[in-house]
């Protein structure tokens, strides 16, 4: 009988060794969060090479990077379920126990369990599931929401990049729909999710990289909108 794995556990492996497991889990959601933004790419991980400094997650639908100097451990978690389906994940953690980047197995636990079985370390306490932080400010009042709606209305092509604490990734395409739900402006596509908390973006500053989102104190949030054609450029012209 196959031994059941713990719900939450320390992975007895280096970040580079964990990276080597990622292509084996099938379709995956790679997520980075911070500053009111959650940025998630969804698709098959084709490779996850590491240099001395950087882990890259590569594929037709993935281009994430993570600075390995920030990672002190990787946690495996098999406790998350939704509508009766299991979504196990890897959490790349820093010294303050903040999740720098998460990788969620979207095809269920079978391939994930096979990949991690030889690397299961100390069992950890299972934490309650943390949903997006609540907000009382409607997304309509947010400059980020306004910019996304302008892009939607224009039909232009844009790069939406997010970086936080040494992790970054981007999506490129046309914003077809922006949904306001529970105080968030949301883009929901088969290959990309963006959740932008109302009030998290007060303004934008134009830089070489694109339009850099700023919070109420004028600090960069990590979100950058870069127009990829003249239509998107015109749609974003008034924002910075």
């Amino acid at each position: 009988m196959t031994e059941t794995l713990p719900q939450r556990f320390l992975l007895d492996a280096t970040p580079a060794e964990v990276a080597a497991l990622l292509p084996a889990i099938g379709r995956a959601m790679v997520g980075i969060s911070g500053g009111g933004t959650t940025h998630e790419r969804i698709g098959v991980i084709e490779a996850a090479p590491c240099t001395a400094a950087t882990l890259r997650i590569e594929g037709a639908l993935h281009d994430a990077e993570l600075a390995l100097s920030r990672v002190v451990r990787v946690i495996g978690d098999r406790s998350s379920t939704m509508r009766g389906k299991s979504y196990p994940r890897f959490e790349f953690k820093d010294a303050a126990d903040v999740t720098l980047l998460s990788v969620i197995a979207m095809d269920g636990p079978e391939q994930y369990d096979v990949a991690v079985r030889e690397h299961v370390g100390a069992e950890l306490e299972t934490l309650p599931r943390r949903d997006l932080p609540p907000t009382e400010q409607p997304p309509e009042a947010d400059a980020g929401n306004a910019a996304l709606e302008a892009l939607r209305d224009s039909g232009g092509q844009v790069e939406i990049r997010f970086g936080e604490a040494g992790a970054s990734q981007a999506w490129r395409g046309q914003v077809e729909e922006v949904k306001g739900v529970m105080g968030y402006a949301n883009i929901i596509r088969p290959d990309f999710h963006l959740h932008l908390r109302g009030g998290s973006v007060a303004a934008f500053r134009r830089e070489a990289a694109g339009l850099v989102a700023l919070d109420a104190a004028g600090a960069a949030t990590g979100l950058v909108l870069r127009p990829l054609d003249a239509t998107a450029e015109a749609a974003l012209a008034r924002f910075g």
Side-chain angles (χ1 to χ4, degrees):
M1 180 176 178
T2 302
E3 181 183 358
T4 301
L5 301 184
Q7 289 290 86
R8 187 171 174 85
F9 51 91
L10 181 67
L11 277 155
D12 187 13
T14 67
E17 289 170 335
V18 175
L21 306 177
L22 299 183
I25 67 172
R27 198 166 57 98
M29 174 186 283
V30 177
I32 305 170
S33 296
T37 299
T38 297
H39 189 293
E40 299 165 327
R41 295 295 310 275
I42 305 163
V44 173
I45 296 174
E46 297 172 9
C50 290
T51 66
T54 305
L55 183 163
R56 287 190 52 82
I57 297 177
E58 300 175 347
L61 300 173
H62 288 295
D63 69 348
E65 292 189 354
L66 176 62
L68 289 173
S69 62
R70 304 294 297 266
V71 182
V72 299
R73 59 186 168 273
V74 186
I75 302 298
D77 193 296
R78 302 170 63 255
S79 66
S80 181
T81 59
M82 185 180 299
R83 299 189 181 97
K85 183 176 179 179
S86 172
Y87 292 93
R89 65 184 182 269
F90 298 96
E91 300 172 0
F92 290 80
K93 297 279 193 176
D94 69 6
D97 202 40
V98 172
T99 300
L100 302 168
L101 179 144
S102 64
V103 180
I104 300 173
M106 302 298 286
D107 291 334
E110 289 80 10
Q111 295 174 86
Y112 177 94
D113 286 358
V114 170
V116 304
R117 186 170 297 278
E118 300 303 318
H119 302 281
V120 174
E123 185 171 358
L124 303 174
E125 179 184 1
T126 300
L127 304 176
R129 178 181 170 183
R130 290 188 291 182
D131 293 317
L132 296 173
T135 176
E136 296 181 358
Q137 183 162 349
E140 292 79 7
D142 190 280
N145 179 78
L148 294 178
E149 290 189 337
L151 286 165
R152 176 201 61 197
D153 295 344
S154 75
Q157 297 285 314
V158 66
E159 177 185 88
I160 301 177
R161 177 171 294 278
F162 183 67
E164 172 73 9
S168 67
Q169 65 181 359
W171 170 83
R172 300 161 192 87
Q174 179 183 341
V175 177
E176 297 167 339
E177 187 175 16
V178 182
K179 298 180 179 180
V181 180
M182 299 180 65
Y184 283 77
N186 303 279
I187 297 174
I188 306 294
R189 294 173 45 91
D191 62 338
F192 174 54
H193 292 179
L194 180 74
H195 308 289
L196 188 62
R197 191 174 70 239
S200 62
V201 179
F204 288 91
R205 181 175 64 229
R206 186 172 291 273
E207 297 184 2
L211 290 179
V212 175
L214 307 175
D215 64 16
T221 69
L223 177 67
V224 180
L225 306 180
R226 183 170 71 91
L228 299 178
D229 60 20
T231 302
E233 180 66 55
L236 294 175
R238 66 184 175 91
F239 292 97

